[in-house]
Amino acid sequence: MRNSKSTSNLRHDGLILLGLAIFLAILGVTLSNQFHRSIVVLSMIHAIAAIGLTLLMGYAGQVSIGQGAFMGVGAYAAAFAMQQLSLPVPVALIGAILLPGLLGYVIGRPILRLSGHNLALGTLALGAVFFVVASQWRSVTGGIDPGIVNLPNLGFWGQSHETVVYWLSAVVLLVAAIVAAALVDGRFGRGLEVLRTSEVVAACMGVDTVRAKSMVFAIAAAFAGASGALLALYLRSFNANTFGVSLSIELLMMVIIGSLSTIWGAIFGAFAIIILPNLLESFDHAKLLVYGLTMVAVMMFAPRGLGETLLRFVRSRSSS
Amino acid sequence: MEVFIQILITGIVVGCIYGMAALGFTIVYNATKLINFANGEFLMLGGVVLTGAVTIAGLPTGVAVPVAVAVSAAIGWVMQRVILENARHSDHLTLVMLTIGVALALRGAAALVFGRDISFVPEFGFIPLVLVGNVYIPSQGIWIMLTLAVLSLALWYLFSRTLFGKAMRAASQEPRAAALCGIEPKKAAVIAMIMAAAIGGLAGTLMAPISAASYENGIFLGLKGFAAAVVGGLGNPLGAILGGLLIGVIESVTAGYVASGFKDAIGFIILILVLILRPQGLAGRAVISRV
Amino acid sequence: MISVPVLSLSGLTKRFGGIQAVSGVSFDLAPGAITAVIGPNGAGKTTLINLITGVLSLNDGAIRLEGADITNEPVHRRAVAGVARTYQTPQMAAGMSVLRNVMAGAYRFGRYGLLSTLLRPWTIITENEEMAERAAHALRRVSVPEEWWHQPASDLPYGLQRRVEIARALAQDPKVILLDEPAAGLNPSETADLARLLTDIAADGRAVLLVEHDMPMVMSISSHVVVINFGRKLAEGTPAQILTNPEVIAAYLGSDEEEAA
């Protein structure tokens, strides 16, 4: 077939996806240790938001330090839908994807007029505003104390809450990965990549750059919303501190630990950032310091992402 | 009316701190075109180092303050020489992430060294509080306002009366002209960062007695400083100070008349709006005509 | 010109501050023909391309594409309507392969919207095959050897990058193609290849606008030449008319011989 290579990206993505599905299924069946299971669940949940951020940062080249806020919007939307509107879980989940997506589009249009460090500042401020609102708008969020409490136990047919959330998160992660892979492998992704290098070039080939940027911001927000809603479902109680500025920075860390060039890096990064602090007991004290130094080192020596640079290094070693 | 004046004074005092944060940010921006996301951490450092020096090492305030400023300045120097100098050809995104990384590392280091508890230090003292009718100006507030006044005069003299200062201000726009005045861009960048770190550290020590010092203070202080600098027109030192005062007063009024909980959000909302609607700052034209 | 113009420029004017970068320039582009725009550096040639594509907005004047007024259309709509361009220095998207770069050029031929990709991700499989077909066609046409197709485009030799850029513009299947100094930095044999390629592209029935310094090439392949100096149209005509126009010789060819050579 003449174009076999043009579709190789898709095939390659399909294989990784299959591998991921099998890996998550095996873990889901074999992991009996509650603690290990919870680490995997948290990793999967954060990976969804990190994939969204990769689309925005890695592909479109638009930095956001406010991704955690959209996770928060998703979490509160899900909680509100279930507790105050008594909607069933699937409906709440869909609402928690649509609302941040819509909000992302509305905010994205003006805020993406900014670029570079101004965009970083603007989104950081956005995240900070969200935190203040979440901690003060007590009628909806419950503030810092008590926050949201007593979300339903999702266990049914003898399956525990943790097990149900595990499989739900795995499915949402896989769907998110499929959608993201299709977006970046398709013409939308190509348009974004051209846009990252030059908005003029993208516009001159027919890309509506303003719309494309707002759309990718909205999509990233929707991914974050799904992630935040799952986190809310899993934790069953949370408050504004769960979605502070540090969450946005952890999501950034996940992306740069993985890769800025492929969505799979975000999954790797999410697992790394969630697992490491939990494995190293004394790590908690030094967590911020280690994060900071890691970020500095990665940006100095591997600015397209640590995972990606290591992978390239290994490949070039093995081929020579 | 008295209540309003009291609120105004509180706002001005806090605004002076924001103004100093904004100054550091502006000086670095003028020298290197870099937006330093770690700038707020200098204020955090000033606060926690002062607290540590007073409560742990038992130093008197008069010694502890210079120590804290020196530590902050030294960290600024290291940051510039070791990290930013080696990455100055990187793109925007990388530089932004680098300074965020430095901010995280400083926050983490402060938490490790000084612990995670918030802590208080006594006021600087010496200056008595001023009472006019029922309106009072606290002693520490007077320290803060006086410091900013002296600092502004010193910086004004440096930047507009000395060749060195003028060259530094122009270093990012006219690197060759600056080099002719004996200021290599690299050197200007280091000096700017040290100045920003020292000013930030000083602001941090000044505010430690009125609001508790904590390793977590840097993010919000940094953002308020950015907001002040952007409102005043990026790169304009006078604008940075005025921007700081404006944001301090608006916050204080919001806290006094609307809801204290939302006061932090106001500064950030102003930042976002100004970035989008008037990226040249509220006094933007003055900046353009100056170039 | 007997045929109806594809692109018609009338009174294009652009000021930067107080400087008239382009003032009152009018001419037409005929289908199936190469129209060259020549003039000294800084005459406003690239500005002209930026005005036609909409990257810069006009202070005055009007642009019509096949009779339709596109003066106030945004950049991407003009591209969709059939205007494509290349750049003075090749603008390859960083990290993208040659094929993917050219596929990006076929952006406007996507059949499915974003929502469809979100809800039915598999639709991109067939769409990608179609676009790869278009890209492959364009790449063969500009003779970029297949072994380069999957290399990062920014790693290619300069001459090949120029051709990839033309392929990317061709993948847009444009009615008008604007080329900003495509021969710059090419050796004589590459320039000869380019001349053949441009003639071939015009033979499709496309209107080709060629901004170029290489006079022998311009004079041999263009059917119409527009001379611009200080943002104004100095002369317009067939290559033979231009070469004998005393004003042109004085203002451009005479004063700038080394460039004309």
Side-chain angles (χ1 to χ4, degrees), chain C residues 154-177:
Chain C
S154 39
D155 289 359
L156 256 61
Y158 192 75
L160 273 181
Q161 283 195 33
R162 285 214 169 283
R163 274 193 254 165
V164 173
E165 207 167 48
I166 295 175
R168 186 170 64 186
L170 281 177
Q172 281 179 251
D173 193 14
K175 295 177 180 128
V176 179
I177 183 165

Side-chain angles (χ1 to χ4, degrees), chain C residues 8-135:
Chain C
S8 153
L9 313 174
S10 56
L12 300 195
T13 299
K14 178 67 187 174
R15 287 182 288 272
F16 294 117
I19 302 153
Q20 294 267 1
V22 171
S23 59
V25 171
S26 307
F27 61 92
D28 290 343
L29 295 189
I34 298 176
T35 304
V37 173
I38 60 170
N41 282 326
K45 302 180 304 271
T46 298
T47 306
L48 199 60
I49 289 185
N50 283 329
L51 291 174
I52 298 171
T53 50
V55 173
L56 293 173
S57 56
L58 282 170
N59 290 113
D60 200 9
I63 303 169
R64 300 176 86 79
L65 182 69
E66 292 188 324
D69 189 350
I70 58 163
T71 314
N72 296 314
E73 292 284 308
V75 182
H76 66 272
R77 289 237 191 87
R78 300 186 196 196
V80 170
V83 178
R85 69 173 290 186
T86 66
Y87 303 82
Q88 237 173 56
T89 41
Q91 302 277 316
M92 293 292 121
M96 273 169 95
S97 73
V98 168
L99 187 68
R100 201 164 145 83
N101 257 291
V102 179
M103 281 168 77
Y107 187 86
R108 74 180 179 110
F109 295 105
R111 277 193 288 150
Y112 302 101
L114 186 57
L115 196 64
S116 164
T117 313
L118 289 172
L119 299 177
R120 297 181 299 158
W122 51 90
T123 53
I124 70 145
I125 296 174
T126 47
E127 183 170 289
N128 270 359
E129 269 169 16
E130 274 176 37
M131 290 203 172
E133 197 62 55
R134 283 178 184 276

Side-chain angles (χ1 to χ4, degrees), chain C residues 212-229:
Chain C
E212 191 46 71
H213 281 300
D214 188 317
M215 281 312 127
M217 178 173 101
V218 165
M219 296 305 168
S220 65
I221 63 173
S222 311
S223 51
H224 200 70
V225 179
V226 177
V227 186
I228 293 195
N229 199 13

Side-chain angles (χ1 to χ4, degrees), chain B residues 51-278:
Chain B
T51 314
V54 170
T55 58
I56 301 171
L59 294 178
T61 306
V63 180
V65 170
V67 167
V69 172
V71 168
S72 181
I75 286 173
W77 178 70
V78 171
M79 168 181 174
Q80 183 65 34
R81 289 303 304 268
V82 175
I83 297 167
L84 294 175
E85 217 163 80
N86 292 311
R88 60 187 186 283
H89 300 299
S90 307
D91 58 59
H92 271 311
L93 190 73
T94 309
L95 284 173
V96 164
M97 302 284 284
L98 260 181
T99 61
I100 292 175
V102 172
L104 276 181
L106 290 177
R107 209 174 299 157
L112 266 185
V113 175
F114 298 102
R116 298 186 165 212
D117 302 324
I118 57 168
S119 44
F120 293 88
V121 282
E123 298 200 347
F124 288 13
F126 189 67
I127 301 177
L129 68 80
V130 175
L131 199 76
V132 185
N134 285 326
V135 174
Y136 82 100
I137 311 173
S139 160
Q140 192 67 22
I142 299 175
W143 271 107
I144 290 173
M145 290 189 276
L146 281 179
T147 307
L148 181 64
V150 172
L151 193 65
S152 310
L153 278 176
L155 287 178
W156 168 80
Y157 183 80
L158 178 73
F159 286 133
S160 55
R161 286 288 176 272
T162 67
L163 190 62
F164 171 81
K166 284 180 194 170
M168 262 200 63
R169 211 176 57 181
S172 69
Q173 272 143 17
E174 306 279 350
R176 270 194 215 146
L180 280 178
C181 301
I183 307 280
E184 294 287 332
K186 242 180 169 178
K187 197 171 150 202
V190 175
I191 294 170
M193 190 59 84
I194 292 174
M195 283 173 68
I199 295 171
L202 183 61
T205 61
L206 283 165
M207 72 174 296
I210 50 174
S211 75
S214 156
Y215 76 104
E216 282 184 305
N217 282 356
I219 303 180
F220 272 25
L221 282 172
L223 262 178
K224 303 275 177 66
F226 296 147
V230 170
V231 165
L234 245 186
N236 179 349
L238 181 64
I241 295 170
L242 294 179
L245 292 175
L246 184 69
I247 286 180
V249 168
I250 292 176
E251 268 189 19
S252 178
V253 169
T254 309
Y257 293 103
V258 187
S260 61
F262 281 102
K263 85 170 167 54
D264 280 327
I266 286 295
F268 305 148
I269 290 172
I270 293 175
L271 170 61
I272 296 172
L273 290 181
V274 171
L275 276 175
I276 293 170
L277 301 176
R278 280 193 72 86

Side-chain angles (χ1 to χ4, degrees), chain A residues 2-3 184-185 187 193 197, chain C residues 94 100 107 128 131 133 150:
Chain A
R2 261 195 313 191
N3 295 323
V184 302
D185 285 341
R187 85 185 167 117
E193 271 195 88
T197 307
Chain C
R100 201 164 145 83
Y107 187 86
N128 270 359
M131 290 203 172
E133 197 62 55
H150 301 282

